[in-house]
Structure formats: C-alpha cells, structure tokens
Amino acid sequence: MTALQRLNKRPDYLLWFSRIFVGVLFIFSGLIKANDPLGFGYKLQEYFEVFHTTFLNDYSVELSIFICALEMIFGAALLLGYKAKQISWGLLLLIIFFTFLTFWSAAFDVVKTCGCFGDAIPLTPWQSFGKDLILLVFILVIFVKRKKIYPAFGDQAMNVLVFFVVLLSFGSGIYTYNFLPVIDFLPYHKGANLPAYMRVPPGAPQDVYEINYTLKNKKTGETKKMTDKEYLKTEIWKDANWEITGEPENKLIKLGYQAKIKDLRISDSQGTDYTSEIIENPYYNLVIVAYDLNKANEKAIGDLNAITINAAENYNIRTVLLTSASAELAAEFSKKHNLIMETFYADAVPLKSMVRANPGLLLLKNGEVIDKWHFHSLPSYQELETQYFRHNQ
C-alpha cells in the first residue's frame, strides 16, 4: 500500500489506541524498573527461588537490565511501527509469559509484590495479573491487526531512531546500576527521616485477624470450619457433641498501619541493639553499608577507610560499617583491610534497600539521610569537609 493510499484509508482507532496504550505502558514499565535494576534483580531472584532456578542468581542483574531494555525497545518500536510483525510476536510471547508468572505468584502466594513497576508503584500479584490480562487483550488486537501497522518513517531514519532507542534503553539500566537510581523510591532516600519512618503513630489502625476453628462432631465424625465470630454467634460451643480439634488458625483480614521502615535492627556482635544510637546521632555520622563482604569492592573499602580516618581525626565524625556477614567474617575482613570504623550487623534485606551498592555510603545527621553515594561515585574527604563537616557540626 502506498503512502497516499494509507492517508486516504480510514484509520483503525482501536488499533491506534492499542498501540499507544501498550507502547507507553511498556516504555514506562521498563523505564521505572531500569531506574533501579539491582532492585529488580532482587525481585527476579525471588522468582528463581520459586521455580528452583537459583543457578540464575548470579546473572540476575544482567537479566534485569536486559528485560527492562526489551520492554522499552518493544514499546518504542510499536509506537514507531518498526518491524510490526516481529514486534507483535515478541509482545504476545512476552505478555503470555508475564501473565503466567503473575498468575502463579497470585494463586500460590509465593511472591508478595510482582515488581512490575519496581518500588515506585507496588502491585500485589493479583493486581498485576489483572493488569497483564488487560494488556493481553490489547496485544491480541495488535497481533491480529499487525499487517495494518506501517513504519512512521523511512528505513534510514527508522534505523537511526531504533539505534538510539536501543542505546538509551540499555544505557539507562547500566548507568543506574553503576551509580544510583535517578529517583529513589525506597524509604532511605535523601531527605528521609529514618526514626520518623520507623515509628507507628499513636492510635494508628492495627492489623485485624480472624480466628478459624476446626470442629469435629464426636457422634457423626463430621467436621466443619468456622470463624471465632461464627463460633460465638451460633453458640455451637454449648453443644457437647462438637469439639475443637487442632490449633486455631489466625488469618489476617485487614492490614493495619505499616511503618515505612519496619525491618531495620542494628546490633553488635553480642546482639545488643544499637539502632537508635546510630540512626539518631544528632551530629554528622557516616554509615558504610556492605551487606556482602565477600563481594564488596575492595578499592572502595580502602577509600572509605581513608575518609573514616580523616573524618575522625579532624572532626570526631563517627563512622560505622553495617553488614549482614557473620561476626567472624567481619572480624577477618576488618583485620585484612585495617579498618578503623566500628562494625555492626543488620539483616541483608534492609541493607540492600539503604543503598544500591556494595559498599555504599550514607551521610546521616539527627536521623536524616543528608546524602548517599555508590562506591563508583564516592566523594573525597575534602568534598565532605567543605560541603558538610565545616558547617553546623
């Protein structure tokens, strides 16, 4: 069909809407996850655990960057009309895979949040499954009508555009992985007040649970299940023929107020809690996060140790190292690198959320995250001194 014929032909509004809806959503989904590919990599590891493919854990970041880039490339190619037949097939196969994955997660309650939009828009597996079903409908429209999709530009211009799309798609994930997310959606972002994020306000709604009993009739052997409210309302407890068997089951029916940070506990090697002392320090203090000492960048550890020495000598700045490693391993690591900072311990999950780097650095003051850095972009001691330590210490 010639360009003139296409112009004179009545546009297919359903196809156009489907292309715009799917294309924009795929670009947004890929871009929001590419903002934090390491976080999406952690989510992929949860799926690897469920499907017994943990051998892929070592490649989770590479797969994360690839999937994010693929979503953005497919979305952009769909909007541009680039290789419509191949892109339609790719979209269909991809959405079928995602729909299966989210259904499995929801039906068997194996992954609590799907990670479709990263930490920016947390979705439950059922919500994500519903979203994928809607996408599947529109992608089927695109697939059926794929022969009606034409390139928006000529071959040469299109190739140049797609080249830049591919470059930007992979480049965005590689950049944020090697530095930090451009927008930090986690509760340890710059400006966050950690003690406030850990508190539950007085009078906040509490979790509501339902107690489920299993009852058995002594005469007939019949069994039935009922809630605690039904148990009292029916007054079945007055009937001596019915008895409760097994342990009552507590079922969460309504989630109460959730603190933004609810899993952070910092302790020493003896288990003594130092959480408040460290995060509520009224002065500047440096927190080095290295959740996995075996994989921590050793050059960065040396640079951070030099910063620690200068900050302590000149401004009495306290520096602590937070890790999820064992006390024995931490002691060996500290001795090997001649570390002078104090070492404390926390679970790996909150440490991974604190900063997407191993190691990473946070500057705290009075519980507030003043700034944070990836080990690829650590500030020099002079920069820290000039910008922070000389003022309001």
Side-chain angles (χ1 to χ4, degrees):
M1 184 181 292
T2 65
L4 183 60
Q5 287 175 317
R6 290 203 300 268
L7 285 173
N8 293 330
K9 187 176 176 63
R10 184 180 177 184
D12 190 325
Y13 294 110
L14 178 59
L15 177 59
W16 269 107
F17 178 82
S18 300
R19 286 176 61 187
I20 294 169
F21 178 75
V22 173
V24 170
L25 197 61
F26 262 69
I27 293 171
F28 176 75
S29 175
L31 192 60
I32 207 73
K33 291 197 293 288
N35 177 65
D36 182 12
L38 189 55
F40 183 49
Y42 294 146
K43 182 58 62 177
L44 289 179
Q45 290 178 10
E46 292 184 39
Y47 285 107
F48 297 156
E49 185 74 29
V50 170
F51 292 102
H52 308 290
T53 54
T54 51
F55 64 91
L56 292 172
N57 282 350
D58 291 339
Y59 309 100
S60 60
V61 172
E62 290 83 354
L63 287 169
S64 167
I65 293 172
F66 176 76
I67 292 171
C68 296
L70 195 63
E71 283 188 273
M72 287 186 278
I73 292 167
F74 276 10
L78 180 62
L79 293 176
L80 292 170
Y82 179 77
K83 294 190 179 297
K85 294 178 182 179
Q86 294 89 332
I87 294 299
S88 299
W89 270 107
L91 287 168
L92 184 62
L93 294 174
L94 202 59
I95 197 61
I96 289 173
F97 174 72
F98 284 157
T99 304
F100 162 76
L101 209 61
T102 53
F103 172 75
W104 190 277
S105 301
F108 297 98
D109 195 28
V110 288
V111 178
K112 301 301 180 184
T113 57
C114 71
C116 302
F117 299 117
D119 293 290
I121 309 174
L123 295 179
T124 66
W126 280 121
Q127 289 172 332
S128 186
F129 176 65
K131 179 263 299 178
D132 287 342
L133 283 180
I134 295 170
L135 273 173
L136 178 60
V137 171
F138 287 108
I139 289 174
L140 282 172
V141 171
I142 293 167
F143 183 78
V144 170
K145 298 173 178 283
R146 61 189 182 278
K147 292 182 179 179
K148 295 182 179 180
I149 300 174
Y150 304 101
F153 303 99
D155 290 346
Q156 187 172 357
M158 186 68 78
N159 289 334
V160 171
L161 279 171
V162 172
F163 172 77
F164 279 106
V165 167
V166 172
L167 196 66
L168 290 171
S169 298
F170 280 98
S172 58
I174 293 169
Y175 174 83
T176 51
Y177 171 68
N178 283 286
F179 294 93
L180 285 179
V182 176
I183 303 175
D184 193 346
F185 294 103
L186 294 166
Y188 299 92
H189 58 82
K190 285 170 60 174
N193 188 288
L194 303 188
Y197 279 3
M198 295 176 72
R199 283 194 293 268
V200 176
Q206 301 295 309
D207 292 346
V208 178
Y209 288 90
E210 181 180 80
I211 303 174
N212 290 274
Y213 298 113
T214 301
L215 294 96
K216 183 177 182 179
N217 191 297
K218 297 176 185 177
K219 289 183 177 181
T220 65
E222 178 189 355
T223 61
K224 65 170 64 176
K225 289 189 175 184
M226 58 175 56
T227 67
D228 52 337
K229 292 181 180 178
E230 293 170 334
Y231 182 75
L232 294 173
K233 184 178 180 180
T234 60
E235 297 187 342
I236 196 172
W237 52 274
K238 292 181 179 180
D239 189 341
N241 290 321
W242 289 95
E243 64 176 355
I244 297 175
T245 61
E247 292 294 324
E249 297 178 1
N250 284 337
K251 181 182 178 182
L252 180 65
I253 59 174
K254 187 177 181 181
L255 199 62
Y257 178 88
Q258 297 292 299
K260 291 185 178 181
I261 299 175
K262 54 182 181 291
D263 55 357
L264 178 63
R265 183 181 184 274
I266 300 170
S267 62
D268 64 7
S269 58
Q270 305 302 313
T272 305
D273 193 333
Y274 279 85
T275 310
S276 296
E277 179 179 319
I278 291 172
I279 69 169
E280 295 180 13
N281 187 333
Y283 305 103
Y284 281 125
N285 59 306
L286 296 169
V287 176
I288 299 167
V289 180
Y291 76 93
D292 187 347
L293 293 178
N294 287 321
K295 296 180 180 179
N297 184 284
E298 295 195 2
K299 181 184 181 303
I301 290 292
D303 293 340
L304 288 166
N305 200 39
I307 290 174
T308 301
I309 293 170
N310 285 316
E313 288 180 349
N314 298 321
Y315 293 93
N316 199 29
I317 301 291
R318 185 184 191 184
T319 303
V320 300
L321 169 66
L322 301 185
T323 183
S324 61
S326 65
E328 294 77 11
L329 176 59
E332 291 176 10
F333 187 86
S334 181
K335 183 177 180 180
K336 176 184 176 182
H337 295 279
N338 299 312
L339 302 183
I340 70 160
M341 72 276 293
E342 305 167 80
T343 302
F344 292 91
Y345 306 88
D347 187 77
V349 173
L351 293 186
K352 290 176 180 179
S353 297
M354 276 188 177
V355 58
R356 298 301 202 197
N358 187 38
L361 177 66
L362 283 81
L363 176 65
L364 303 183
K365 184 179 181 182
N366 201 28
E368 182 180 341
V369 179
I370 304 300
D371 211 336
K372 59 197 296 187
W373 298 270
H374 191 284
F375 66 82
H376 281 151
S377 56
L378 289 175
S380 66
Y381 167 73
Q382 288 74 21
E383 289 172 331
L384 288 171
E385 180 184 37
T386 302
Q387 190 169 354
Y388 301 108
F389 299 160
R390 287 179 183 172
H391 312 288
N392 304 318
Q393 179 61 27

